[in-house]
Amino acid sequence: MSEVGYGARELKRARYAVATVFCVHGAVTGSFATRVPWIQEHAGVSAGQLGIALAFPALGASVAMPLAGWVSHRFGARTALRGLLALWTLALILPSLAPNLAVLCVALFAYGASAGMSDVAMNALGVEVENRLDRSIMSSLHGMWSVGALIGSAAGTLAAHLGSDARLHHLLAAVTLTVVGFIACGGVLDLRATEDEEPPPRFALPPRSALLIGAVGFCAVFAEGASLDWSAVYLRDVLDTSAGLAAACTTAFTLTMAVARLAGDRIVDRFGAVRTVRVGGVGAALGGLLVVVAPNPAVAMVGFGLMGLGIAVVVPLAFAAAGRSGPNPSQAIAGVATITYTSGLIAPSAIGTVADATSLVVSFGLVTFLACGLAVFAGVLRTGDRTRTKPAEVSPASAGAHGQGS
């Protein structure tokens, strides 16, 4: 892998460039999520059919993620990220054009595939910048993703309030984000494969290390997805609170996650990845317990806030650990990303299924149990613990090959 030398100024620029990429990626998600009701009405699908369609983004991401390493090896890290991010931002246009369920499923599959590949590429480049800076930045990068999602959601909420056509809204958003992403990618690290370097496989099973790291990420994303999709319902149905206060709980949880991620790097640098996740797991479990036993909405909201704080930095640290876990970082990152995407897919439906069979209180008992797993199994993130080891020297081959959450 050939590369130019990078000084402090170039690395600082690369960090800001990758942070902007994360923000753009999140803005696409926020823009899409707010217009799902419009898309459902335009496609003429029922709630059950919409649920089927919304499984296709995760399916597309899972299938396409392993390709990200090969694309980066073939075209170079910077060019690959620029192309993959453009595919993702432009894919925002597709779902709103779907006239029926079949086309919507195909559109969402393509939407998810481009999301997954760009996610792997940007996370891998983020790990590479973190290695060269020799200090944690992954938490704040994911915080920027949350900021982007909030910006996209706010713009989408305004567009929906004004009654705008989602096709026009998503076209304007896609063009704007594509331009911003294209410019931002010009500042990321430009790593390229040498002529005699073997390309990574286009498709490969994740290594065992990625499965263990991904399991920790699974627990965090499950709690995140459950809280985002069900916290408002929990307050309304279990604690009989108003719709406004219930919605405010979800917004507060999202903001808590974003703030904790933006501030998380300093904590990780001081205490290490393993200790941070263990303490966070205890906090998340305590938060889940408060939700389960809450006698009133205030206690439940505190519980959801503690869960948000406890799980906020887990996924960024899982990606960082995967990027340093072996000779093929791109394969490990893709494996962890696939597991976390799967968790985000099944969490909302799993909570609903358990609630139908028992109650929402029991459902969040399951969330609390999984949160305990963060504290128990945090040790598998030791490869990403900067207080115990120096950052691993990522081989040029793997660096170029690998150059992401809910």
Side-chain angles (χ1 to χ4, degrees):
M1 176 70 62
S2 60
E3 59 177 286
V4 298
Y6 290 99
R9 180 177 298 179
E10 289 79 8
L11 288 175
K12 184 177 181 180
R13 180 189 178 207
R15 176 183 180 179
Y16 290 145
V18 175
T20 303
V21 169
F22 270 77
C23 188
V24 167
H25 197 285
V28 176
T29 300
S31 299
F32 168 75
T34 53
R35 304 313 303 271
V36 169
W38 190 98
I39 292 170
Q40 177 186 7
E41 182 178 355
H42 178 70
V45 299
S46 66
Q49 291 173 325
L50 178 63
I52 294 172
L54 290 177
F56 276 79
L59 180 60
S62 299
V63 170
M65 277 175 177
L67 281 172
W70 180 86
V71 172
S72 293
H73 181 276
R74 175 67 176 81
F75 298 102
R78 179 185 293 171
T79 301
L81 180 60
R82 182 174 273 161
L84 293 174
L85 186 65
L87 285 177
W88 165 232
T89 53
L90 292 174
L92 175 62
I93 301 171
L94 300 179
S96 61
L97 300 177
N100 54 53
L101 176 62
V103 177
L104 180 60
C105 289
V106 173
L108 289 175
F109 183 92
Y111 173 86
S114 58
M117 288 192 293
S118 56
D119 197 341
V120 170
M122 72 186 191
N123 272 286
L125 271 175
V127 172
E128 182 66 18
V129 174
E130 181 175 90
N131 283 345
R132 292 164 185 257
L133 288 173
D134 196 14
R135 57 191 175 93
S136 298
I137 66 168
M138 289 301 292
S139 180
S140 61
L141 290 182
H142 282 255
M144 288 301 297
W145 189 96
S146 298
V147 169
L150 288 171
I151 293 173
S153 297
T157 300
L158 177 61
H161 178 72
L162 296 175
S164 68
D165 189 307
R167 291 169 293 189
L168 177 60
H169 164 214
H170 283 170
L171 175 62
L172 294 175
V175 171
T176 301
L177 293 172
T178 299
V179 172
V180 174
F182 186 88
I183 295 172
C185 287
V188 303
L189 299 180
D190 190 17
L191 305 172
R192 298 178 179 274
T194 57
E195 293 183 0
D196 59 346
E197 191 172 314
E198 288 291 329
R202 298 190 185 188
F203 294 98
L205 294 175
R208 183 171 178 270
S209 60
L211 296 178
L212 296 174
I213 294 169
V216 175
F218 181 96
C219 294
V221 173
F222 193 98
E224 180 181 355
S227 298
L228 284 173
D229 288 358
W230 287 95
S231 57
V233 178
Y234 191 95
L235 263 68
R236 183 194 66 192
D237 292 355
V238 176
L239 299 173
D240 196 28
T241 191
S242 67
L245 186 59
C249 179
T250 302
T251 302
F253 177 84
T254 304
L255 288 172
T256 299
M257 290 277 294
V259 171
R261 283 178 170 173
L262 289 171
D265 290 325
R266 291 185 179 181
I267 297 173
V268 173
D269 277 335
R270 180 170 182 179
F271 298 105
V274 174
R275 189 180 302 176
T276 299
V277 172
R278 278 184 177 151
V279 173
V282 171
L286 177 60
L289 183 61
L290 286 178
V291 169
V292 170
V293 303
N296 54 61
V299 174
M301 291 179 75
V302 171
F304 281 116
L306 278 175
M307 276 202 288
L309 288 173
I311 65 178
V313 301
V314 177
V315 172
L317 291 177
F319 279 117
R324 304 187 188 101
S325 64
N328 196 333
S330 63
Q331 189 178 345
I333 288 174
V336 170
T338 300
I339 293 170
T340 56
Y341 266 66
T342 302
S343 180
L345 170 66
I346 69 173
S349 59
I351 293 297
T353 300
V354 174
D356 284 341
T358 54
S359 69
L360 269 177
V361 174
V362 175
S363 293
F364 276 89
L366 172 62
V367 174
T368 303
F369 174 78
L370 290 176
C372 293
L374 299 176
V376 175
F377 299 109
V380 302
L381 303 181
R382 201 170 304 279
T383 54
D385 200 331
R386 309 191 67 82
T387 65
R388 297 181 63 90
T389 60
K390 286 291 184 182
E393 291 294 332
V394 179
S395 70
S398 58
H402 68 220
Q404 235 210 101
S406 126

